[in-house]
Amino acid sequence: MSEKRHKPIRRICCIGAGYVGGPTSAVIAHKAPHIHVDVVDLSEKRIAAWNSNHLPIYEPGLQAITELPRDGAVGRLPNLVFTTDVKNSIAQADLIFLCVATPTKYTGTGAGRAADLVYVESATRMIAEAAESDKIVVEKSTVPCKTAASIREILSAAGRPWVHFDILSNPEFLAEGTAIKNLLEPDRLLIGSLTNERGLQAAASLVDVYAEWVPRERIVTMHLWSSEMAKLAANALLAQRISSINALSAICESTGADIDEVAYAVGLDKRIGPKMLKSSVGFGGSCFRKDVLNLVYIAQTLHLPEVATYWEKVVEMNEYQKDRFCKRIVSCLHTTLTNKRVAILGFAYKKDTGDTRESAAISLVTNLVAEQAHVRIYDPKVEEESIWMELKWAAQNFEETKKRVTVCKTAYEACEGSHAAIIATEWDEFNNKDTEVNWREVNGLALISNSPSSSNMYRTGSGTQFSNGTLETSPAPNERINGAAPAARAGEPNPARDGEVRKWMASHDNTVINGCGSSGFVGDELKNGYGEMKQATIRERQPRDEKVRRMDWRHVASILRKPMFVFDGRNVVDAVKLEALGFRVESIGKPSLAMRS
């Protein structure tokens, strides 16, 4: 880091009031009361929501973190402002965060793979037009390597001659459901800059902002291009790991092996580790598929076809897993679903969120409708309007979809008279395992301890199940683990979708547009996971001892058609217990009943 004194940051402008911009700005303002933070967006509706008691996105702890700097308190002035006055906020800022979406292009060069940087360029040109003094411009959006060079070129050409811009890369590594925890206690913060004097000084200024609450040893500075590449690499490797365990799940189903036992065994190898080894019907969320395909396109443009093919297979495996699961359903239901009723339990791409982007349920519903089934959907957090929006964008024949799909208010309503119940999201209420939810705090986190009364439980291995079908720590086989902290159920269930959101989503993905959340600039994305917050000010607003409200599978047995099928796409149920009730359970990565007999 340069020895020359660097500029202190007193005002920040964040362009984009979405999934990254809003929470990031709120935490900075909360932790650094001497820094004034403006969050700007072209959507008046979204800004109004940020200024209300009903925030536009659902994230545990976000309301509490936002209210103090936004509203102020005795002895503390407000320092967080949500506004549509973009130009004035840019003009006054010392540092500007770019928190806009980079969806996949679906027309033109690189269609279906390349990142569309139209919103990055639009925001950059607005900065050039409004800036009257030197600015530090920080990429937080996920962008291809060397996007900063394009930003610098636009700013240099379109900005005022006397204004100098320094470009930094500061990618976010947030998990939807744990965004506040990730911001308060990050594993690492990356700040990329050029290695010249001005670049290092700009990086030092941003380091000081985060050092208000993040230990400096966790703030890693590096070259600008390395920082941009590190974000894509992280998402690609995480997606690759999920596709790897899902590929093994197919072999397990055919050989009689149990994927949970296999994952536990290999996770004990310290070279491999236990994380992200939970097989499922497929990964979802806004980033994995998009970022891997972006990496594929980059490799292709660099004339590295073997590299492109390698990463493309990660996405193909994910699609194969969803298709394979659907074919298993059809096969078990006597090879025909015509006019049969099936229940989809869960529509969000993971539990503890209302987000449906790239949800496996989207593909399941469209495939089941194509098989002429009547589909009944239940999700405890996703709004009915959101479900219909997603199906509209995904369906080839939406009119036919509307005739065959019903959105239900309860799981029982969905299951009544159905030939099968399909678990597409690992919501805790679907879990029937013999574990009481005993909450205890370790370093501010709510952890789950196994009930002493639980039987048939391995003494080795314990874990926290991630909500995108992954494991933070892989459990021992048959270990009774039960979901996430109840704090994830607090607050409003799902972001509002306005017309501008849907316009962006139209360009986001024509096959599975599972987006929620955009802004006038188009919103940013969050990743997979869940958790609770450490700060007492947040936890005071969250229930500490709430019991998970589970569905009664005995009642389901009384309303489901015989033979009763349960297709567990998330491995959240105890198949032995359900089979004792008369269910036939088919689970991802586990042999069918016929093979086990």
Side-chain angles (χ1 to χ4, degrees):
M1 196 67 65
S2 174
E3 296 180 358
K4 184 178 178 181
R5 182 173 178 80
H6 51 271
K7 179 182 179 180
I9 303 300
R10 293 289 177 259
R11 294 188 72 99
I12 291 175
C13 172
C14 176
I15 300 179
Y19 278 96
V20 172
T24 299
S25 299
V27 169
I28 291 175
H30 188 99
K31 285 294 190 178
H34 63 284
I35 299 178
H36 179 92
V37 182
D38 284 339
V39 184
V40 300
D41 202 291
L42 298 179
S43 171
E44 294 182 0
K45 182 177 181 180
R46 178 167 287 266
I47 291 299
W50 277 109
N51 285 317
S52 73
N53 291 326
H54 301 284
L55 302 185
I57 64 175
Y58 166 61
E59 186 65 39
L62 179 58
Q63 188 81 36
I65 274 286
T66 302
E67 286 178 351
L68 178 61
R70 185 193 67 186
D71 303 335
V74 176
R76 172 166 176 161
L77 295 175
N79 65 317
L80 176 64
V81 175
F82 296 93
T83 178
T84 57
D85 189 357
V86 180
K87 292 185 178 180
N88 186 56
S89 295
I90 290 173
Q92 296 185 57
D94 302 310
L95 182 147
I96 302 166
F97 283 122
L98 286 176
C99 295
V100 298
T102 53
T104 302
K105 289 181 66 175
Y106 280 92
T107 58
T109 304
R113 288 177 172 80
D116 192 342
L117 301 180
V118 60
Y119 305 114
V120 173
E121 180 173 344
S122 175
T124 300
R125 291 187 180 278
M126 191 168 289
I127 293 171
E129 179 182 346
E132 298 179 352
S133 59
D134 292 355
K135 309 292 180 188
I136 299 173
V137 179
V138 184
E139 302 170 332
K140 286 201 77 70
S141 304
T142 304
V143 295
C145 191
K146 293 199 172 182
T147 298
S150 299
I151 293 175
R152 186 189 309 112
E153 182 179 4
I154 293 171
L155 292 173
S156 298
R160 291 172 173 82
W162 63 86
V163 177
H164 185 89
F165 298 95
D166 293 296
I167 316 300
L168 300 178
S169 169
N170 175 218
E172 49 81 21
F173 296 96
L174 306 182
E176 189 165 356
T178 61
I180 302 302
K181 176 186 179 300
N182 299 150
L183 287 163
L184 292 174
E185 301 177 0
D187 294 328
R188 80 290 197 197
L189 282 168
L190 303 187
I191 298 176
S193 71
L194 295 180
T195 54
N196 57 29
E197 185 70 21
R198 292 194 63 101
L200 296 176
Q201 291 300 320
S205 296
L206 183 55
V207 167
D208 283 352
V209 172
Y210 287 121
E212 291 290 330
W213 75 94
V214 179
R216 287 183 179 266
E217 60 268 20
R218 294 189 185 180
I219 305 175
V220 181
T221 57
M222 59 181 60
H223 194 280
L224 191 55
W225 316 141
S226 298
S227 178
E228 289 179 332
M229 186 64 190
K231 176 59 188 298
L232 283 178
N235 281 346
L237 289 170
L238 292 174
Q240 175 203 48
R241 194 163 168 101
I242 297 171
S243 283
S244 294
I245 199 67
N246 281 342
L248 292 171
S249 74
I251 299 176
C252 288
E253 290 173 22
S254 298
T255 60
D258 185 318
I259 191 61
D260 282 346
E261 294 179 345
V262 173
Y264 174 68
V266 300
L268 294 175
D269 189 326
K270 293 181 180 180
R271 298 169 301 172
I272 299 173
K275 297 184 179 181
M276 305 294 279
L277 288 180
K278 182 66 176 176
S279 183
S280 70
V281 68
F283 59 72
S286 65
C287 293
F288 281 179
R289 180 177 183 273
K290 174 178 71 71
D291 291 350
V292 172
L293 289 176
N294 190 7
L295 195 61
V296 170
Y297 178 70
I298 291 172
Q300 290 173 336
T301 60
L302 295 174
H303 307 293
L304 300 171
E306 292 82 4
V307 175
T309 299
Y310 176 84
W311 288 110
E312 195 167 26
K313 292 300 180 182
V314 171
V315 175
E316 289 182 9
M317 178 54 63
N318 195 58
E319 298 305 312
Y320 167 73
Q321 185 79 341
K322 290 183 284 188
D323 184 62
R324 191 173 64 82
F325 186 62
C326 192
K327 288 180 178 178
R328 187 175 180 182
I329 295 171
V330 174
S331 176
C332 289
L333 292 178
H334 314 296
T335 70
T336 180
L337 295 182
T338 301
N339 293 327
K340 289 182 179 178
R341 180 184 292 182
V342 294
I344 297 288
L345 301 182
F347 196 83
Y349 83 88
K350 67 183 197 97
K351 68 177 181 179
D352 300 327
T353 182
D355 195 347
T356 57
R357 285 176 284 187
E358 302 292 352
S359 171
I362 300 288
S363 297
L364 290 176
V365 172
T366 54
N367 287 339
L368 293 172
V369 168
E371 294 285 344
Q372 301 297 297
H374 293 285
V375 182
R376 300 172 69 83
I377 302 169
Y378 164 71
D379 190 285
K381 286 295 183 183
V382 178
E383 297 173 347
E384 180 174 353
E385 178 186 4
S386 301
I387 292 174
W388 287 117
M389 285 180 176
E390 310 307 346
L391 294 179
K392 181 178 181 179
W393 290 109
Q396 293 183 350
N397 185 344
F398 183 56
E399 292 303 317
E400 180 67 15
T401 298
K402 287 194 295 183
K403 295 176 183 178
R404 293 189 170 274
V405 173
T406 302
V407 179
C408 302
K409 299 295 184 182
T410 68
Y412 301 129
E413 181 186 351
C415 290
E416 186 171 8
S418 293
H419 291 79
I422 303 168
I423 300 174
T425 309
E426 67 281 18
W427 288 104
D428 294 334
E429 67 182 87
F430 308 146
N431 190 322
N432 72 327
K433 296 180 179 179
D434 294 328
T435 304
E436 296 177 5
V437 179
N438 300 320
W439 304 105
R440 58 188 177 87
E441 291 187 18
V442 179
N443 295 327
L445 287 179
L447 301 181
I448 301 170
S449 59
N450 294 301
S451 170
S453 62
S454 297
S455 59
N456 190 28
M457 182 174 66
Y458 282 72
R459 293 297 179 185
T460 57
S462 63
T464 302
Q465 191 166 1
F466 265 40
S467 46
N468 67 329
T470 65
L471 285 184
E472 174 65 17
T473 305
S474 294
N478 298 323
E479 186 172 13
R480 309 307 183 187
I481 296 174
N482 185 62
R489 291 179 176 270
E492 293 299 314
N494 198 37
R497 269 90 156 172
D498 57 21
E500 289 176 301
V501 175
R502 301 313 305 176
K503 290 178 183 177
W504 170 69
M505 286 168 58
S507 68
H508 181 60
D509 192 335
N510 284 334
T511 55
V512 268
I513 301 182
N514 308 319
C516 71
S518 177
S519 61
F521 283 106
V522 302
D524 29 35
E525 306 97 6
L526 297 179
K527 280 56 159 198
N528 304 304
Y530 67 77
E532 277 197 298
M533 286 7 90
K534 182 175 183 179
Q535 288 200 338
T537 55
I538 302 172
R539 294 189 59 82
E540 288 172 359
R541 297 172 180 265
Q542 310 294 350
R544 292 176 180 266
D545 300 312
E546 178 184 332
K547 297 291 183 182
V548 175
R549 186 175 300 173
R550 299 183 182 181
M551 62 189 288
D552 183 353
W553 282 98
R554 289 184 177 84
H555 179 61
V556 175
S558 71
I559 59 178
L560 211 63
R561 286 176 181 256
K562 305 300 188 292
M564 303 180 299
F565 283 90
V566 173
F567 297 95
D568 186 1
R570 298 291 177 177
N571 286 337
V572 297
V573 300
D574 184 332
V576 174
K577 289 182 63 180
L578 288 189
E579 286 168 357
L581 295 175
F583 291 97
R584 175 174 170 179
V585 182
E586 301 287 332
S587 303
I588 285 284
K590 300 184 179 183
S592 64
L593 178 63
M595 183 171 290
R596 285 181 277 130
S597 300

